[in-house]
Amino acid sequence: MTSPDGTVLAYTREGEGPAVVLVGGGLDDGAENASLATALSRWFTVYNYARRGRGGSGDTQPYALEREVEDLATLIEAAGGTAHVHGVSSGGALALRAAAAGLPIDRLSVYEVPYAVGEAAAVGWREYVTQLDAALAMDDRDAALRLFMRLAGSGEDDITAAAGSPMWPGLLKIAHTLGYDAACLGDGTPPAAELARITQPTLVATGGVPDPHMSGLRPGYFDAAADAIAALVPNATRKVVAGQSHVADPATISVVLKDFFTG
């Protein structure tokens, strides 16, 4: 389908029932949510798309956060005019901003949105964005990926191993979209005024197990962000999904979403 600015958006549709749109996070071309889409398709018609600049989707320039919101609106329109929405990580930040902008979302779910809570975390985020902008201005995608992995808490040995792995060339192709994720997160802190405008029932979830690939983040990073979101969104429900880390098991999270979307 085509977004208002002419950007072609690649997507899959599975199942029958109420519409659900999945919004992927950083460095995801839609593949990460593919298994979740299949699991949810037992109960819903699930739309899983590649955000602009990723996978089979186009990348009309110049980029603006408003265009990503329009992309999501295009998916919702194709789904029948309204839909439930589930956003993961930075995709959750995009979903929250879309809901605050008034998109016709029935129920909203976000999982482990990486907002920075506390001055130390906010300073770290600002430093990352400054360095990321500089790397992307030179189209140094390798440096951008390494910055992102350091932000997530990866050690230098892990980064070196990743850079030498078969997955690295594919990540380099979409590394410029790290700037798009940074735009979704703004100054890194929860956007209080926007979150307060969200009227939909909103599930704010985290996993109960720290991700081993993010061991450099301070303990409770995602929980602190989720607590802040839940305190700001008027109709929010806070949930910890036991046994899950930053990339949740599709079978487990699909049941959580089914219960919430049909509640």
Side-chain angles (χ1 to χ4, degrees), residues 108-133:
L108 173 64
S109 169
V110 296
Y111 184 81
E112 297 215 339
V113 181
Y115 284 129
V117 176
E119 183 59 24
V123 168
W125 171 256
R126 291 193 295 268
E127 291 175 349
Y128 161 75
V129 172
T130 297
Q131 295 170 9
L132 177 68
D133 288 347

PDB file of all heavy atoms in Angstrom, residues 108-133:
ATOM      1  N   LEU A 108      -4.651  -0.194  22.624  1.00  0.00           N
ATOM      2  CA  LEU A 108      -3.229  -0.004  22.351  1.00  0.00           C
ATOM      3  C   LEU A 108      -2.403  -0.823  23.341  1.00  0.00           C
ATOM      4  O   LEU A 108      -2.669  -0.809  24.541  1.00  0.00           O
ATOM      5  CB  LEU A 108      -2.879   1.479  22.484  1.00  0.00           C
ATOM      6  CG  LEU A 108      -1.400   1.866  22.398  1.00  0.00           C
ATOM      7  CD1 LEU A 108      -0.833   1.539  21.030  1.00  0.00           C
ATOM      8  CD2 LEU A 108      -1.241   3.355  22.708  1.00  0.00           C
ATOM      9  N   SER A 109      -1.396  -1.513  22.814  1.00  0.00           N
ATOM     10  CA  SER A 109      -0.469  -2.252  23.663  1.00  0.00           C
ATOM     11  C   SER A 109       0.951  -1.867  23.292  1.00  0.00           C
ATOM     12  O   SER A 109       1.284  -1.757  22.106  1.00  0.00           O
ATOM     13  CB  SER A 109      -0.665  -3.765  23.471  1.00  0.00           C
ATOM     14  OG  SER A 109       0.388  -4.494  24.081  1.00  0.00           O
ATOM     15  N   VAL A 110       1.801  -1.657  24.296  1.00  0.00           N
ATOM     16  CA  VAL A 110       3.217  -1.394  24.045  1.00  0.00           C
ATOM     17  C   VAL A 110       4.044  -2.295  24.958  1.00  0.00           C
ATOM     18  O   VAL A 110       3.656  -2.594  26.085  1.00  0.00           O
ATOM     19  CB  VAL A 110       3.587   0.087  24.269  1.00  0.00           C
ATOM     20  CG1 VAL A 110       2.864   0.974  23.263  1.00  0.00           C
ATOM     21  CG2 VAL A 110       3.286   0.551  25.685  1.00  0.00           C
ATOM     22  N   TYR A 111       5.196  -2.706  24.433  1.00  0.00           N
ATOM     23  CA  TYR A 111       6.053  -3.639  25.167  1.00  0.00           C
ATOM     24  C   TYR A 111       7.479  -3.098  25.216  1.00  0.00           C
ATOM     25  O   TYR A 111       8.101  -2.839  24.181  1.00  0.00           O
ATOM     26  CB  TYR A 111       6.035  -5.006  24.478  1.00  0.00           C
ATOM     27  CG  TYR A 111       6.814  -6.079  25.203  1.00  0.00           C
ATOM     28  CD1 TYR A 111       6.254  -6.746  26.293  1.00  0.00           C
ATOM     29  CD2 TYR A 111       8.098  -6.427  24.808  1.00  0.00           C
ATOM     30  CE1 TYR A 111       6.962  -7.734  26.963  1.00  0.00           C
ATOM     31  CE2 TYR A 111       8.812  -7.404  25.475  1.00  0.00           C
ATOM     32  CZ  TYR A 111       8.249  -8.053  26.552  1.00  0.00           C
ATOM     33  OH  TYR A 111       8.951  -9.028  27.220  1.00  0.00           O
ATOM     34  N   GLU A 112       7.982  -2.883  26.419  1.00  0.00           N
ATOM     35  CA  GLU A 112       9.359  -2.471  26.696  1.00  0.00           C
ATOM     36  C   GLU A 112       9.793  -1.275  25.843  1.00  0.00           C
ATOM     37  O   GLU A 112      10.773  -1.330  25.099  1.00  0.00           O
ATOM     38  CB  GLU A 112      10.324  -3.652  26.554  1.00  0.00           C
ATOM     39  CG  GLU A 112      10.033  -4.753  27.560  1.00  0.00           C
ATOM     40  CD  GLU A 112      11.239  -5.499  28.085  1.00  0.00           C
ATOM     41  OE1 GLU A 112      12.293  -5.471  27.421  1.00  0.00           O
ATOM     42  OE2 GLU A 112      11.127  -6.113  29.176  1.00  0.00           O
ATOM     43  N   VAL A 113       9.060  -0.177  25.986  1.00  0.00           N
ATOM     44  CA  VAL A 113       9.431   1.077  25.324  1.00  0.00           C
ATOM     45  C   VAL A 113      10.651   1.658  26.051  1.00  0.00           C
ATOM     46  O   VAL A 113      10.625   1.838  27.268  1.00  0.00           O
ATOM     47  CB  VAL A 113       8.260   2.079  25.361  1.00  0.00           C
ATOM     48  CG1 VAL A 113       8.655   3.377  24.657  1.00  0.00           C
ATOM     49  CG2 VAL A 113       7.015   1.467  24.714  1.00  0.00           C
ATOM     50  N   PRO A 114      11.728   1.972  25.327  1.00  0.00           N
ATOM     51  CA  PRO A 114      12.981   2.359  26.002  1.00  0.00           C
ATOM     52  C   PRO A 114      13.104   3.848  26.327  1.00  0.00           C
ATOM     53  O   PRO A 114      14.097   4.500  25.988  1.00  0.00           O
ATOM     54  CB  PRO A 114      14.041   1.932  24.984  1.00  0.00           C
ATOM     55  CG  PRO A 114      13.373   2.132  23.663  1.00  0.00           C
ATOM     56  CD  PRO A 114      11.927   1.772  23.884  1.00  0.00           C
ATOM     57  N   TYR A 115      12.114   4.400  26.995  1.00  0.00           N
ATOM     58  CA  TYR A 115      12.238   5.779  27.454  1.00  0.00           C
ATOM     59  C   TYR A 115      13.295   5.868  28.557  1.00  0.00           C
ATOM     60  O   TYR A 115      13.463   4.929  29.353  1.00  0.00           O
ATOM     61  CB  TYR A 115      10.916   6.306  27.991  1.00  0.00           C
ATOM     62  CG  TYR A 115       9.901   6.666  26.934  1.00  0.00           C
ATOM     63  CD1 TYR A 115       8.605   6.189  26.995  1.00  0.00           C
ATOM     64  CD2 TYR A 115      10.240   7.511  25.877  1.00  0.00           C
ATOM     65  CE1 TYR A 115       7.662   6.526  26.036  1.00  0.00           C
ATOM     66  CE2 TYR A 115       9.311   7.855  24.912  1.00  0.00           C
ATOM     67  CZ  TYR A 115       8.019   7.365  24.991  1.00  0.00           C
ATOM     68  OH  TYR A 115       7.092   7.702  24.041  1.00  0.00           O
ATOM     69  N   ALA A 116      13.970   6.996  28.606  1.00  0.00           N
ATOM     70  CA  ALA A 116      14.979   7.238  29.631  1.00  0.00           C
ATOM     71  C   ALA A 116      14.318   7.889  30.833  1.00  0.00           C
ATOM     72  O   ALA A 116      13.724   8.955  30.710  1.00  0.00           O
ATOM     73  CB  ALA A 116      16.084   8.134  29.087  1.00  0.00           C
ATOM     74  N   VAL A 117      14.424   7.250  31.976  1.00  0.00           N
ATOM     75  CA  VAL A 117      13.859   7.792  33.215  1.00  0.00           C
ATOM     76  C   VAL A 117      15.008   8.085  34.167  1.00  0.00           C
ATOM     77  O   VAL A 117      15.818   7.215  34.472  1.00  0.00           O
ATOM     78  CB  VAL A 117      12.866   6.793  33.855  1.00  0.00           C
ATOM     79  CG1 VAL A 117      12.360   7.327  35.198  1.00  0.00           C
ATOM     80  CG2 VAL A 117      11.689   6.526  32.913  1.00  0.00           C
ATOM     81  N   GLY A 118      15.088   9.322  34.619  1.00  0.00           N
ATOM     82  CA  GLY A 118      16.199   9.733  35.485  1.00  0.00           C
ATOM     83  C   GLY A 118      17.236  10.508  34.685  1.00  0.00           C
ATOM     84  O   GLY A 118      17.410  10.287  33.474  1.00  0.00           O
ATOM     85  N   GLU A 119      17.934  11.409  35.349  1.00  0.00           N
ATOM     86  CA  GLU A 119      18.863  12.305  34.661  1.00  0.00           C
ATOM     87  C   GLU A 119      20.011  11.556  34.014  1.00  0.00           C
ATOM     88  O   GLU A 119      20.417  11.880  32.889  1.00  0.00           O
ATOM     89  CB  GLU A 119      19.411  13.342  35.644  1.00  0.00           C
ATOM     90  CG  GLU A 119      20.345  14.366  35.004  1.00  0.00           C
ATOM     91  CD  GLU A 119      19.701  15.159  33.876  1.00  0.00           C
ATOM     92  OE1 GLU A 119      18.455  15.271  33.853  1.00  0.00           O
ATOM     93  OE2 GLU A 119      20.450  15.664  33.016  1.00  0.00           O
ATOM     94  N   ALA A 120      20.543  10.532  34.676  1.00  0.00           N
ATOM     95  CA  ALA A 120      21.678   9.806  34.101  1.00  0.00           C
ATOM     96  C   ALA A 120      21.290   9.142  32.787  1.00  0.00           C
ATOM     97  O   ALA A 120      22.036   9.194  31.800  1.00  0.00           O
ATOM     98  CB  ALA A 120      22.188   8.768  35.097  1.00  0.00           C
ATOM     99  N   ALA A 121      20.111   8.520  32.772  1.00  0.00           N
ATOM    100  CA  ALA A 121      19.652   7.864  31.551  1.00  0.00           C
ATOM    101  C   ALA A 121      19.392   8.884  30.450  1.00  0.00           C
ATOM    102  O   ALA A 121      19.717   8.648  29.279  1.00  0.00           O
ATOM    103  CB  ALA A 121      18.390   7.059  31.839  1.00  0.00           C
ATOM    104  N   ALA A 122      18.815  10.026  30.803  1.00  0.00           N
ATOM    105  CA  ALA A 122      18.528  11.065  29.815  1.00  0.00           C
ATOM    106  C   ALA A 122      19.812  11.630  29.216  1.00  0.00           C
ATOM    107  O   ALA A 122      19.894  11.888  28.007  1.00  0.00           O
ATOM    108  CB  ALA A 122      17.700  12.174  30.455  1.00  0.00           C
ATOM    109  N   VAL A 123      20.818  11.830  30.055  1.00  0.00           N
ATOM    110  CA  VAL A 123      22.109  12.319  29.555  1.00  0.00           C
ATOM    111  C   VAL A 123      22.723  11.306  28.602  1.00  0.00           C
ATOM    112  O   VAL A 123      23.236  11.666  27.530  1.00  0.00           O
ATOM    113  CB  VAL A 123      23.066  12.614  30.726  1.00  0.00           C
ATOM    114  CG1 VAL A 123      24.494  12.840  30.223  1.00  0.00           C
ATOM    115  CG2 VAL A 123      22.592  13.835  31.506  1.00  0.00           C
ATOM    116  N   GLY A 124      22.663  10.039  28.957  1.00  0.00           N
ATOM    117  CA  GLY A 124      23.190   8.992  28.091  1.00  0.00           C
ATOM    118  C   GLY A 124      22.479   8.961  26.747  1.00  0.00           C
ATOM    119  O   GLY A 124      23.113   8.769  25.695  1.00  0.00           O
ATOM    120  N   TRP A 125      21.176   9.165  26.771  1.00  0.00           N
ATOM    121  CA  TRP A 125      20.411   9.181  25.523  1.00  0.00           C
ATOM    122  C   TRP A 125      20.822  10.369  24.646  1.00  0.00           C
ATOM    123  O   TRP A 125      21.037  10.208  23.436  1.00  0.00           O
ATOM    124  CB  TRP A 125      18.918   9.242  25.817  1.00  0.00           C
ATOM    125  CG  TRP A 125      18.085   9.469  24.587  1.00  0.00           C
ATOM    126  CD1 TRP A 125      17.485  10.628  24.198  1.00  0.00           C
ATOM    127  CD2 TRP A 125      17.809   8.507  23.562  1.00  0.00           C
ATOM    128  NE1 TRP A 125      16.836  10.454  23.005  1.00  0.00           N
ATOM    129  CE2 TRP A 125      17.020   9.165  22.585  1.00  0.00           C
ATOM    130  CE3 TRP A 125      18.137   7.164  23.380  1.00  0.00           C
ATOM    131  CZ2 TRP A 125      16.553   8.512  21.438  1.00  0.00           C
ATOM    132  CZ3 TRP A 125      17.687   6.517  22.235  1.00  0.00           C
ATOM    133  CH2 TRP A 125      16.901   7.187  21.281  1.00  0.00           C
ATOM    134  N   ARG A 126      20.948  11.538  25.238  1.00  0.00           N
ATOM    135  CA  ARG A 126      21.319  12.716  24.460  1.00  0.00           C
ATOM    136  C   ARG A 126      22.703  12.557  23.841  1.00  0.00           C
ATOM    137  O   ARG A 126      22.941  12.954  22.689  1.00  0.00           O
ATOM    138  CB  ARG A 126      21.258  13.972  25.329  1.00  0.00           C
ATOM    139  CG  ARG A 126      19.839  14.367  25.738  1.00  0.00           C
ATOM    140  CD  ARG A 126      19.787  15.766  26.316  1.00  0.00           C
ATOM    141  NE  ARG A 126      20.518  15.900  27.576  1.00  0.00           N
ATOM    142  CZ  ARG A 126      19.976  15.733  28.777  1.00  0.00           C
ATOM    143  NH1 ARG A 126      18.699  15.385  28.890  1.00  0.00           N
ATOM    144  NH2 ARG A 126      20.700  15.902  29.865  1.00  0.00           N
ATOM    145  N   GLU A 127      23.624  11.980  24.585  1.00  0.00           N
ATOM    146  CA  GLU A 127      24.969  11.750  24.053  1.00  0.00           C
ATOM    147  C   GLU A 127      24.916  10.773  22.881  1.00  0.00           C
ATOM    148  O   GLU A 127      25.590  10.965  21.856  1.00  0.00           O
ATOM    149  CB  GLU A 127      25.881  11.207  25.154  1.00  0.00           C
ATOM    150  CG  GLU A 127      26.201  12.224  26.240  1.00  0.00           C
ATOM    151  CD  GLU A 127      26.998  11.625  27.382  1.00  0.00           C
ATOM    152  OE1 GLU A 127      27.125  10.380  27.430  1.00  0.00           O
ATOM    153  OE2 GLU A 127      27.494  12.403  28.229  1.00  0.00           O
ATOM    154  N   TYR A 128      24.106   9.732  23.016  1.00  0.00           N
ATOM    155  CA  TYR A 128      23.953   8.754  21.931  1.00  0.00           C
ATOM    156  C   TYR A 128      23.408   9.425  20.678  1.00  0.00           C
ATOM    157  O   TYR A 128      23.931   9.224  19.571  1.00  0.00           O
ATOM    158  CB  TYR A 128      23.023   7.624  22.379  1.00  0.00           C
ATOM    159  CG  TYR A 128      22.445   6.821  21.240  1.00  0.00           C
ATOM    160  CD1 TYR A 128      23.223   5.899  20.541  1.00  0.00           C
ATOM    161  CD2 TYR A 128      21.104   6.977  20.862  1.00  0.00           C
ATOM    162  CE1 TYR A 128      22.692   5.165  19.487  1.00  0.00           C
ATOM    163  CE2 TYR A 128      20.563   6.242  19.819  1.00  0.00           C
ATOM    164  CZ  TYR A 128      21.354   5.334  19.139  1.00  0.00           C
ATOM    165  OH  TYR A 128      20.823   4.606  18.095  1.00  0.00           O
ATOM    166  N   VAL A 129      22.354  10.231  20.800  1.00  0.00           N
ATOM    167  CA  VAL A 129      21.735  10.870  19.639  1.00  0.00           C
ATOM    168  C   VAL A 129      22.719  11.811  18.952  1.00  0.00           C
ATOM    169  O   VAL A 129      22.789  11.858  17.713  1.00  0.00           O
ATOM    170  CB  VAL A 129      20.447  11.608  20.048  1.00  0.00           C
ATOM    171  CG1 VAL A 129      19.910  12.446  18.885  1.00  0.00           C
ATOM    172  CG2 VAL A 129      19.380  10.608  20.499  1.00  0.00           C
ATOM    173  N   THR A 130      23.497  12.552  19.727  1.00  0.00           N
ATOM    174  CA  THR A 130      24.494  13.452  19.141  1.00  0.00           C
ATOM    175  C   THR A 130      25.496  12.672  18.307  1.00  0.00           C
ATOM    176  O   THR A 130      25.821  13.049  17.164  1.00  0.00           O
ATOM    177  CB  THR A 130      25.229  14.236  20.241  1.00  0.00           C
ATOM    178  OG1 THR A 130      24.286  15.062  20.938  1.00  0.00           O
ATOM    179  CG2 THR A 130      26.329  15.121  19.648  1.00  0.00           C
ATOM    180  N   GLN A 131      25.995  11.558  18.848  1.00  0.00           N
ATOM    181  CA  GLN A 131      26.963  10.744  18.129  1.00  0.00           C
ATOM    182  C   GLN A 131      26.322  10.023  16.944  1.00  0.00           C
ATOM    183  O   GLN A 131      26.933   9.891  15.873  1.00  0.00           O
ATOM    184  CB  GLN A 131      27.593   9.739  19.089  1.00  0.00           C
ATOM    185  CG  GLN A 131      28.413  10.388  20.192  1.00  0.00           C
ATOM    186  CD  GLN A 131      28.839   9.391  21.270  1.00  0.00           C
ATOM    187  OE1 GLN A 131      28.661   8.186  21.124  1.00  0.00           O
ATOM    188  NE2 GLN A 131      29.392   9.906  22.351  1.00  0.00           N
ATOM    189  N   LEU A 132      25.070   9.587  17.124  1.00  0.00           N
ATOM    190  CA  LEU A 132      24.364   8.911  16.035  1.00  0.00           C
ATOM    191  C   LEU A 132      24.147   9.867  14.867  1.00  0.00           C
ATOM    192  O   LEU A 132      24.373   9.507  13.703  1.00  0.00           O
ATOM    193  CB  LEU A 132      23.023   8.372  16.533  1.00  0.00           C
ATOM    194  CG  LEU A 132      22.130   7.701  15.488  1.00  0.00           C
ATOM    195  CD1 LEU A 132      22.759   6.402  15.006  1.00  0.00           C
ATOM    196  CD2 LEU A 132      20.730   7.439  16.058  1.00  0.00           C
ATOM    197  N   ASP A 133      23.693  11.075  15.153  1.00  0.00           N
ATOM    198  CA  ASP A 133      23.474  12.064  14.095  1.00  0.00           C
ATOM    199  C   ASP A 133      24.760  12.318  13.311  1.00  0.00           C
ATOM    200  O   ASP A 133      24.736  12.442  12.076  1.00  0.00           O
ATOM    201  CB  ASP A 133      22.962  13.371  14.692  1.00  0.00           C
ATOM    202  CG  ASP A 133      21.524  13.281  15.174  1.00  0.00           C
ATOM    203  OD1 ASP A 133      20.836  12.290  14.819  1.00  0.00           O
ATOM    204  OD2 ASP A 133      21.088  14.187  15.911  1.00  0.00           O
TER     205      ASP A 133
END
